Amino acid sequence: MSRDAERDRYVDFLRAWAIVLVVLGHWVITALVRSPDGGITAPELLATLPWTQWLTLGFQIMPLFFLAGGHAAGGSWARARLAGGTAAGWVGGRALRLLLPAGAYSALVLCAVGICSVVGVDPGTLALVGWAMAMQFWFLPVYLLLSALTPALHSLHRRWGLCVPAAMAAVALVADALVVTAHTPYVGLINYVLVWGVAYQLGFCWHDGLLTGRRVMAPAMAGCGAVAFAALIAFGPFPVSLILVTGQDPGNTNPPSAAMLAWVVAQTGLCLVAAPAVRRLLARERVWHVVRPVGGASMTLYLWHMLPVLVVAAAFYLTGLAPEPALGSASWWALRVPWLLVLCTVLVGVVVALRPLERGLALLHERTRPTAVPGRPWFLWLGVATTVLALSRFAVRGFAPDGRIPVLPTLGLLVGTALVTATGWRSRVTPNPRDRLEEAA
């Protein structure tokens, strides 16, 4: 197997591994309690049992997803640029790959919210369910924005290399200092792009060999990042939890903090240290046959992994069939094992049931993906901006704030996705002469 093939397998493994740990992490910390009136509440495990915040060190794996995403995007854009592709054409294809499944998921969830609202489901319950189904949406606008900025970020990378993530990290530290000391939360919003952007930019550097040219680089990143993280939580104002905990101020994720930035560097270094051993495993076809399907279904798993929680809640908690030992007791932790097994079984069924939808979305992507020179590229940039705002709103308030469908984010996602799709549709219906020459070549 060639070195490039091994590297691609490892990148796919990182994305699959990140998704699996995100899913398991959300399931482990989800606690359901049936109240005396028959309703269901979801106490916050990380707040109720503070020691469980240490578990987030194992489950907060999203830096690797951005690292792998930057690695793949950097290679993809470099190839497209050398082939004569445009930024609008490349960004349009990447945006559709994310927006089509996210739009289909949102449409189905919003339809369910509307039906439940009409039949009189309690608004509080509906708001909780709507939040649970959108809790993973924070990732989508950040990743979509970084994808849209890829041509510009990669241009900076080609000129300045490792100086780019270093500069982004420096600005992120200044912004975080302002959030912590001057209490300027809106300044911290830039860190969603800067902190996760550091991981994304390091993916470019990894792809081009800037992180692997010296043996000391990876261990130094892992060690320095880990020491900085430990110092920031031991002597600084930051908590250990790498997942948002109600009442913690400052936190590490909303917005991403200096401690999260240190964790990004540490995980990147650890990923590079582990690469040779994991690549040897992935070279075995039996291992790869297990990893590959997970990577291929990563978007489906990420979007839909909270639906099994609702199914199990309705089947076992609303009916009173589920045993309910005290939260955090030995019996409660022992029941996490069957809890996870049942959720995995339901999720497999969901993934199988969604296969026709996935095939339809893949066909739609091929038919509407912008060509190298799409028609009216301003449709694309307006559509991307609109969907970033809409997805951000869903991430913050859920699909059913106050028990009702949020009209503006819904319209924003619909219009934005339509604009991005129309860019590709117009470019294929009325192809540009340059496109005809490229296709003929």
Side-chain angles (χ1 to χ4, degrees):
M1 182 186 301
S2 68
R3 181 178 294 272
D4 287 341
E6 289 181 352
R7 185 165 58 181
D8 289 341
R9 282 191 175 188
Y10 186 51
V11 172
D12 289 342
F13 164 79
L14 290 178
R15 285 186 287 210
W17 181 245
I19 291 298
V20 167
L21 284 186
V22 166
V23 171
L24 290 178
H26 283 166
W27 286 352
V28 167
I29 67 173
T30 298
L32 300 179
V33 176
R34 188 172 186 269
S35 56
D37 62 0
I40 296 177
T41 59
E44 191 175 355
L45 181 68
L46 299 180
T48 305
L49 302 173
W51 70 265
T52 59
Q53 295 177 26
W54 288 92
L55 299 177
T56 65
L57 301 185
F59 287 116
Q60 180 50 273
I61 207 79
M62 291 310 287
L64 293 188
F65 200 95
F66 283 98
L67 177 71
H71 184 287
S76 174
W77 167 239
R79 291 189 297 272
R81 185 174 59 87
L82 290 174
T86 64
W90 185 88
V91 170
R94 305 288 285 197
L96 274 181
R97 189 178 300 174
L98 185 147
L99 287 176
L100 290 177
Y105 172 83
S106 301
L108 292 173
V109 173
L110 289 168
C111 285
V113 168
I115 293 171
C116 291
S117 180
V118 169
V119 299
V121 173
D122 174 62
T125 300
L126 201 53
L128 177 61
V129 171
W131 171 82
M133 294 299 284
M135 64 183 296
Q136 72 276 34
F137 261 44
W138 72 267
F139 165 81
L140 299 177
V142 178
Y143 198 80
L144 180 58
L145 186 56
L146 287 173
S147 296
L149 293 173
T150 293
L153 292 175
H154 198 264
S155 178
L156 294 174
H157 160 74
R158 293 195 306 273
R159 183 168 184 178
W160 301 107
L162 283 168
C163 292
V164 180
M168 294 171 70
V171 177
L173 291 174
V174 172
D176 195 45
L178 290 174
V179 171
V180 173
T181 59
H183 305 289
T184 53
Y186 289 105
V187 173
L189 293 178
I190 194 175
N191 273 4
Y192 281 102
V193 176
L194 291 176
V195 172
W196 298 119
V198 167
Y200 195 78
Q201 201 80 21
L202 287 173
F204 296 165
C205 298
W206 179 26
H207 181 273
D208 290 347
L210 298 182
L211 301 182
T212 54
R214 299 178 181 176
R215 289 187 177 182
V216 72
M217 177 71 79
M221 292 179 67
C224 292
V227 169
F229 177 80
L232 286 167
I233 65 172
F235 306 110
F238 303 104
V240 69
S241 178
L242 292 171
I243 297 176
L244 179 65
V245 178
T246 300
Q248 280 189 349
D249 186 27
N252 286 324
T253 61
N254 189 28
S257 68
M260 181 64 80
L261 177 60
W263 196 247
V264 166
V265 175
Q267 273 201 359
T268 299
L270 186 60
C271 159
L272 297 176
V273 169
V278 178
R279 280 179 180 144
R280 287 193 292 269
L281 279 176
L282 295 174
R284 302 176 182 177
E285 292 303 319
R286 290 183 179 179
V287 176
W288 179 240
H289 285 325
V290 174
V291 173
R292 184 176 182 179
V294 178
S298 59
M299 191 65 176
T300 302
L301 295 174
Y302 186 79
L303 288 172
W304 291 91
H305 72 273
M306 290 304 291
L307 178 60
V309 174
L310 301 184
V311 172
V312 171
F316 295 100
Y317 283 85
L318 283 179
T319 58
L321 296 176
E324 294 190 54
L327 183 64
S329 65
S331 298
W332 187 87
W333 283 108
L335 285 172
R336 292 285 92 180
V337 176
W339 162 261
L340 293 177
L341 292 175
V342 170
L343 291 177
C344 281
T345 302
V346 176
L347 184 57
V348 169
V350 170
V351 171
V352 171
L354 289 172
R355 281 180 179 172
L357 176 62
E358 288 184 335
R359 286 193 291 267
L361 292 176
L363 181 61
L364 181 60
H365 178 268
E366 286 302 312
R367 290 183 174 180
T368 59
R369 176 173 51 86
T371 54
V373 187
R376 299 197 178 183
W378 66 269
F379 273 21
L380 170 70
W381 305 117
L382 179 60
V384 168
T386 303
T387 51
V388 165
L389 292 175
L391 292 170
S392 300
R393 191 65 172 174
F394 283 131
V396 173
R397 301 199 64 196
F399 283 112
D402 305 320
R404 296 188 297 271
I405 292 178
V407 177
L408 287 180
T410 301
L411 289 176
L413 183 58
L414 177 63
V415 171
T417 304
L419 286 172
V420 175
T421 305
T423 304
W425 184 262
R426 286 185 61 86
S427 67
R428 290 181 182 276
V429 172
T430 56
N432 187 289
R434 179 179 169 184
D435 295 336
R436 290 196 182 100
L437 292 175
E438 290 177 352
E439 291 174 1

